[in-house]
């Protein structure tokens, strides 16, 4: 089954996902406008905020654990439009 396409409308979407991760939950962040070193810096900030590990895969940020509410609050404070998506 193909993954649903994520619209590029300037909205940052936060998903909770467990598929293909042996049951471990991760927070998936789509739609951040930063690229390159700026995105790396944003990833580091989010990992520190959550006290968790994380990585970048194809411009998508993955943070270990379910931290959607905490990350949404921080991203809204930075001026992003944020939606909590998925289950």
């Amino acid at each position: 089954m193909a993954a649903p396409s994520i619209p590029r409308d300037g909205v940052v979407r936060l998903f909770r996902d467990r598929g293909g991760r042996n049951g471990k939950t991760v927070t998936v962040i789509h739609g951040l406008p930063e690229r390159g070193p700026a995105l790396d810096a944003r990833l580091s900030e989010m990992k520190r905020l959550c006290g968790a590990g994380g990585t970048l895969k194809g411009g998508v940020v993955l943070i270990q654990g379910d931290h959607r509410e905490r990350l949404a609050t921080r991203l809204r404070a930075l001026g992003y439009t944020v939606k909590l998506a998925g289950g």
Side-chain angles (χ1 to χ4, degrees):
M1 184 163 111
S5 100
I6 306 299
R8 295 188 169 271
D9 56 3
V11 175
V12 177
R13 287 178 169 78
L14 283 78
F15 297 85
R16 180 178 52 224
D17 188 24
R18 289 190 341 196
R21 294 179 175 82
N22 293 325
K24 295 192 177 11
T25 302
V26 296
T27 302
V28 181
I29 305 163
H30 288 275
L32 287 171
E34 292 93 356
R35 294 292 174 255
L39 188 55
D40 291 334
R42 181 72 64 211
L43 171 64
S44 294
E45 174 191 347
M46 290 182 194
K47 288 175 12 181
R48 261 192 313 279
L49 175 69
C50 297
T55 189
L56 284 173
K57 284 194 178 176
V60 175
V61 175
L62 304 170
I63 303 289
Q64 294 173 352
D66 183 6
H67 301 285
R68 291 184 311 159
E69 293 295 334
R70 179 180 297 162
L71 290 169
T73 301
R74 176 67 179 141
L75 290 169
R76 285 185 183 113
L78 293 171
Y80 293 103
T81 303
V82 177
K83 279 188 179 178
L84 300 183

